[in-house]
Structure formats: structure tokens, C-alpha cells
Amino acid sequence: MLNGKGVPSGEILGLGAALSQPQVAHRGTIQTVTEPGIGDLRLFNLTAKFEKTPASIDAPPPRLSAHTDAILGGLGYTPEAIAALRQKGVV
């Protein structure tokens, strides 16, 4: 009905069907990376595509709290203070 009135439209797809579209594969929208201990992870790739500065996901996302020490250290916490927070279950 909308197409007949000049309004571009199409079928509304569920997530599984949308991710199975040929265009998704062609554009590399989904990238697979391997996480040791977990296996292959299918992740959304970077959506913007630039010819001169191509980018891709080549590593899995960090595990929970992987950067806690670095962040707290950057905020001025000492290793001893971070250890105390960890012992109290704060981090």
C-alpha cells in the first residue's frame, strides 16, 4: 500500500531474519572473533565503511572488570587501595 503511494517501504523482519540477509553478509556487518575459553563470538562490526581508513573488529570485547585496575589507578587509587576494594567486594 505505501509503495503504491510512492512511500518506500518493505517487510519488517525479526532479528534473525534481518541478520540473514545477503546485504548483511556482503557488507560484513557481523564479524566473528574468537575468545579463548568461550569460542567464536559473532559481533556487530563497525557500520561506517571508509576506503582510506578501513577498520574491523579483530579482538573480542574485554571481559567483565578487565580494566578495573587501570581505571582505578588512573583515578589515583593505589594498588593497595584497589586490593582493599576487591577484598571488600566493591570491585
Side-chain angles (χ1 to χ4, degrees), residues 9-64:
S9 63
E11 180 182 2
I12 297 174
L13 302 174
L15 182 60
L19 295 179
S20 298
Q21 294 298 303
Q23 183 177 3
V24 171
H26 174 75
R27 290 192 41 82
T29 302
I30 303 296
Q31 179 102 14
T32 301
V33 296
T34 302
E35 168 63 36
I38 294 176
D40 288 344
L41 299 173
R42 291 180 40 149
L43 305 173
F44 280 95
N45 202 352
L46 304 169
T47 54
K49 306 289 183 188
F50 301 106
E51 181 180 325
K52 294 185 180 179
T53 56
S56 66
I57 297 173
D58 55 3
R63 297 240 179 157
L64 184 62

